[in-house]
Amino acid sequence: MPLLFALVDCNNFYVSCERVFDPKLEGKPVVVLSNNDGIVVARSNEAKALGIKMGVPEFQIRHLIRRYNVQVLSSNYALYGDMSQRVMDTLAQFTPNLEVYSIDEAFLSLSGFTSRDLTDYGRTIRTKVKRWTGIPVSIGIAETKTLAKVAAWRAKRCKDAAGVFDLTACQDRDVLLASIPAEDIWGIGPNYARLLTLHGIQTALDLRMADDHWIRKRMGVVGARIVQELRGVSCLPLEECPAPKQGITVSRSFGRPVTTVAEMKESVAFYTSRAAKKLREERLAVTVLTVFLTTNTFKDEPQYSNAATIKLPVATDSTSDLLRYALPGVERIFREGYRYKKAGVMLTALVPASQVQVDLFDHQDRDRSRRLMRTLDGLNDCIGAGTLRYAAEGMTQHWKARFERRSPAYTTNWRDLPVAKAS
DNA sequence: TCTGGGGTCCTAGGACCC
DNA sequence: TCTGGGGTCCTAGGACCC
C-alpha cells in the first residue's frame, strides 16, 4: 500500500487563538510576544505584510506598532495549549493514525485513502476544524512527511488552493519545487542553507537532485534523509506514540536583573517546583539535576554563567527532594557582583516512576511524600497554579517575567469565561 | 530600558579496556 | 624516522524543530 501523509498546520496559531475570543482582532495586524514580552513569536498575515519578522525583539518594531496600530499581546500558553487539544481532538475523529507533531501541527496517515478525492477530504477536515474550534488550518498531502510540509507551504501561500494542496495530484511538481527556496524545506536551517547556497543549491528542486555522496558527507544522515524524502522515498515514519521524554527543563528570563543569592534561590525553587510537577504528570522520576544561571549576554557588562550538575542518590519525583539538591547547587555557583538575567533547572536521566530503585539506606517515608505531592498537585490543578507552594519559592517574586498584555484564560479559568451579550 | 523557552537527533572525540 | 588497533561508552557541541 503506498504511503500517504497529510500535514495539518494551524495558521498563525497563537494569533488565531486570540482572534477566536476577541473578533475585533480580525483583519488587523496582530503580534504575540514571547515570555517577558521579549520577542515576536506569532504574527497575523497583516503583521507579516508590514515586514515584522519572526523572533524580532519587540522594542525594535515599536515604530511599526505605533504607525500601523499593531495589536500586541503577551503569550497566553494556558489558552494555546487548551485550543491545541481541541484541534487535535477534532483531527482524531478523521483517523486513528495521528501524530501530534507540535502545539500547532499534526501529521495524519492517509495511507489506504487513495480511492477518494484527497483534496475534498482535506477540505472536509479543514471545515470541521474551523467550525468546531474556530482555528483556520492549512493542509498538505503527499507521499512523505517532507513533501507534505512542502504541500502545506503551497496551500498556505496560494489563494486558489483554499487551504488544501494535494501534491500527488500536482501535474508540475518540478515547477513547484523550483519555486521553493531550499531554506524553506523542513530540516534546512540557516547553517545548511548557507552551505547549500555556496554549492549552488538554491531551490527544493536543486536539493532533490543533489549528489548523494556530497550530501551524506556534509549534512550527515539527516541531510540524506531530507533528499530521499524530497524524491518521494519515505524515511520518516508516523510516530503515533510519543517516546518518553528524555529531559525536562524549566527556565525563564527575569523581569528585572537578579543580584542577590536569596532571589536567585527563590526563582530556582520556583522552576524546580514547576519541573517536578511536569515530572509527576509524565509519571517519571529523575536521577540527574542541573541548575544554571547566566548574566545578560546582550549587555556590555561583566558576564558570568555557570551550572551545577548533581547526581541524585535515588530517583525521585518529589519537589521536596529536588529542592534539597537544587538550592545548595545555586549556593555553589552563585557569584556576587553580577546582574543575572536568567536561571533554570534541567532534569535528565529520567526513569519511569514505577521502576524507582529504592536505596537500602534510604529511610525516608516514600509513601508519605507521594501523598503530599498528590495533595499539592490536586489543589493547584483545582484552584490554580501556585495556590499552595513551597516557602522557598518566595512570597513577592519580584523577579518574575512580565506579561503586560496577556489576554484572559478564556477556556481554562471559570473567572475568565467569555460572556455572550445580546446587543 | 527593552533580545523566549523547550525540545530532538547526530557526530566527533576522548576515556577506557583488552 | 619510528609511537598498535579496535571496540564501547560517554559527553559536548552543533544542527535542527516549533
Side-chain angles (χ1 to χ4, degrees):
Chain A
M1 186 169 64
L3 292 178
L4 207 51
F5 297 89
L7 174 68
V8 180
D9 191 345
C10 300
N11 299 342
N12 314 330
F13 183 55
Y14 297 170
V15 169
S16 297
C17 291
E18 299 288 350
R19 281 178 169 169
V20 169
F21 294 95
D22 186 0
K24 289 197 298 293
L25 298 172
E26 214 63 61
K28 293 181 185 164
V30 182
V31 298
V32 175
L33 302 179
S34 66
N35 263 349
N36 226 3
D37 294 343
I39 63 170
V40 171
V41 294
R43 307 157 294 157
S44 70
N45 290 343
E46 299 80 1
K48 289 176 186 172
L50 293 175
I52 297 174
K53 302 278 182 238
M54 191 72 168
V56 71
E58 183 265 353
F59 72 88
Q60 286 176 9
I61 55 162
R62 253 171 229 172
H63 60 289
L64 292 174
I65 292 171
R66 205 163 331 120
R67 174 146 28 123
Y68 298 102
N69 192 26
V70 176
Q71 306 297 300
V72 179
L73 293 155
S74 303
S75 43
N76 183 344
Y77 290 106
L79 176 66
Y80 312 148
D82 187 61
M83 292 300 285
S84 173
Q85 189 63 56
R86 295 177 188 210
V87 170
M88 300 308 168
D89 288 346
T90 308
L91 294 177
Q93 312 246 320
F94 288 92
T95 168
N97 310 114
L98 176 75
E99 174 187 343
V100 177
Y101 175 68
S102 73
I103 194 166
D104 70 337
E105 281 175 68
F107 287 102
L108 278 59
S109 168
L110 296 187
S111 309
F113 285 53
T114 41
S115 57
R116 291 192 189 230
D117 183 324
L118 296 168
T119 307
D120 269 2
Y121 193 61
R123 296 245 162 80
T124 307
I125 296 175
R126 189 171 186 272
T127 305
K128 185 155 274 184
V129 172
K130 179 79 168 92
R131 186 167 305 145
W132 287 15
T133 69
I135 301 294
V137 299
S138 300
I139 301 180
I141 298 166
E143 61 271 33
T144 69
K145 283 180 161 182
T146 304
L147 287 173
K149 279 270 198 182
V150 165
W153 184 97
R154 168 72 159 59
K156 195 167 289 189
R157 279 164 184 78
C158 181
K159 232 184 170 98
D160 56 321
V164 179
F165 187 74
D166 174 11
L167 194 65
T168 64
C170 175
Q171 301 301 314
D172 40 15
R173 179 179 292 207
D174 288 8
V175 175
L176 173 62
L177 290 180
S179 76
I180 301 177
E183 65 185 30
D184 286 356
I185 295 301
W186 192 36
I188 305 298
N191 285 289
Y192 286 155
R194 202 173 321 118
L195 176 71
L196 292 173
T197 306
L198 282 172
H199 279 78
I201 296 170
Q202 310 274 9
T203 70
L205 185 65
D206 296 338
L207 184 56
R208 195 191 72 186
M209 300 191 305
D211 177 68
D212 286 340
H213 288 100
W214 186 84
I215 293 286
R216 180 66 182 80
K217 190 153 158 273
R218 305 301 298 270
M219 296 170 64
V221 295
V222 176
R225 276 202 287 256
I226 294 170
V227 172
Q228 286 302 307
E229 286 245 323
L230 285 174
R231 291 175 185 161
V233 180
S234 177
C235 305
L236 305 168
L238 196 75
E239 313 267 9
E240 290 171 56
C241 331
K245 274 193 195 304
Q246 298 187 7
I248 290 172
T249 303
V250 177
S251 72
R252 298 278 185 281
S253 293
F254 301 124
R256 57 160 177 71
V258 160
T259 55
T260 66
V261 71
E263 281 201 316
M264 184 61 80
K265 282 164 75 178
E266 275 187 18
S267 73
V268 169
F270 172 70
Y271 307 144
T272 302
S273 149
R274 295 296 296 259
K277 176 134 195 299
K278 283 196 202 181
L279 197 60
R280 295 189 290 270
E281 281 164 4
E282 301 278 337
R283 308 221 181 288
L284 294 169
V286 59
T287 59
V288 175
L289 178 150
T290 302
V291 296
F292 59 92
L293 43 78
T294 180
T295 49
N296 190 344
T297 52
F298 288 103
K299 289 208 164 173
D300 186 20
E301 56 184 39
Q303 297 290 319
Y304 171 71
S305 61
N306 206 346
T309 297
I310 300 126
K311 174 101 179 65
L312 308 179
V314 182
T316 181
D317 65 357
S318 147
T319 307
S320 313
D321 284 350
L322 295 180
L323 286 172
R324 199 149 44 236
Y325 294 100
L327 297 179
V330 175
E331 301 251 17
R332 254 197 288 146
I333 58 177
F334 186 90
R335 298 282 177 276
E336 291 288 344
Y338 294 98
R339 291 158 57 81
Y340 293 93
K341 173 63 181 168
K342 182 177 180 173
V345 173
M346 288 171 63
L347 309 181
T348 50
L350 307 181
V351 297
S354 55
Q355 290 172 24
V356 170
Q357 291 279 319
V358 177
D359 193 314
L360 276 179
F361 303 100
D362 170 37
H363 300 302
Q364 280 187 59
D365 187 343
R366 305 239 141 226
D367 191 50
R368 188 161 166 270
S369 156
R370 204 164 294 134
R371 286 201 310 272
L372 175 62
M373 289 303 119
R374 204 157 38 224
T375 308
L376 177 77
D377 293 342
L379 261 168
N380 286 334
D381 287 343
C382 179
I383 308 177
T387 302
L388 190 59
R389 60 178 191 258
Y390 282 77
E393 296 172 47
M395 294 306 289
T396 55
Q397 302 190 328
H398 290 307
W399 38 266
K400 267 207 175 172
R402 295 179 299 265
F403 290 90
E404 283 166 9
R405 287 161 282 201
R406 175 136 72 187
S407 53
Y410 296 112
T411 62
T412 54
N413 188 323
W414 288 110
R415 283 191 297 268
D416 292 345
L417 210 60
V419 179
K421 288 184 202 150
S423 55

